[in-house]
Amino acid sequence: MSNCNSCPSKGTCGKQADSCGIQNNERNKIRHVIGVMSGKGGVGKSSMSVLMAKEMARRGFRVGIMDADITGPSIPRLMGLEHAQAFGTNDAIEPVVDKDGIKVMSLNFLMEDENQPVVWRGPIVANAVKQFWTDVVWEELDYLFIDMPPGTGDVALTVLQSLPVSGVIMVSMIVSKAINMCKQVKVEVLGIIENMSYVVCPDCGKRIEIFQHRNVEDFVRENEVPLWAELPMMDSISRIYKDDDFDTETAQQMYAWISPAADQLIEKMGK
């Protein structure tokens, strides 16, 4: 199953063809694999994964989301799929497809009760993530977003080393360790999305900085990573699974905030 010719990261991954251990499913044709990382939890990484996926789907791309946060999956609820189940055979798993045509795979889709904890050690968790790549029938996708657990632990290392990741999007500015991890394994950090960066006054629309001032320009220059988008704190993100019910202004505003990041991703990937 390991074949550079079928790999979406052929020629750009920094790995040697004769020693690469990545396995690819011949039934899948995925053009770009994008990891979504954060240096810590609670910064809205999963929300940004979903928002990016929805924006790319709105633009006509074929999109999927792999929930690699095995022990703390939140993608199903953010996608409005918390009651969905995935089915398959001995060697293949069919992903769940949402109302927008986005293909989604999460461990929660394989469990009878989402409230049951996943009490697994690191190697088992890592193998589950690998199977989401090798055993799930994603078929043809333009973009597969991988929602990774926060930090630089086992799962992050497994994704970066065992999957043909085209590049990584970082969420929040507290990402120096995660950026350095990507550099060590030769995976490009494409850009940063700073979520919950500020609030917008509901009366006058003025931008209000709620955190102590940080020199963003110095940070991105020192880490050699561009800032793709800054998003305010907004209630609509927590209710993104109900985006069909949003009024026109709310929907347009939400996607306008993430649009610069989508523009940058398309330009970076070349298509």
Side-chain angles (χ1 to χ4, degrees), residues 174-186:
I174 313 171
V175 291
S176 295
K177 285 186 178 181
I179 289 174
N180 290 331
M181 178 185 189
C182 290
K183 289 179 179 178
Q184 287 184 17
V185 296
K186 298 181 180 180

Side-chain angles (χ1 to χ4, degrees), residues 230-244:
E230 292 178 286
L231 281 74
M233 287 189 173
M234 48 185 171
D235 179 59
S236 54
I237 285 292
S238 64
R239 298 182 291 110
I240 194 171
Y241 62 95
K242 293 184 177 180
D243 58 340
D244 285 345

Side-chain angles (χ1 to χ4, degrees), residues 133-149:
W133 172 255
T134 58
D135 295 358
V136 174
V137 184
W138 298 102
E139 298 180 309
E140 294 191 21
L141 293 178
D142 296 308
Y143 290 91
L144 175 63
F145 292 94
I146 302 180
D147 183 50
M148 298 162 62

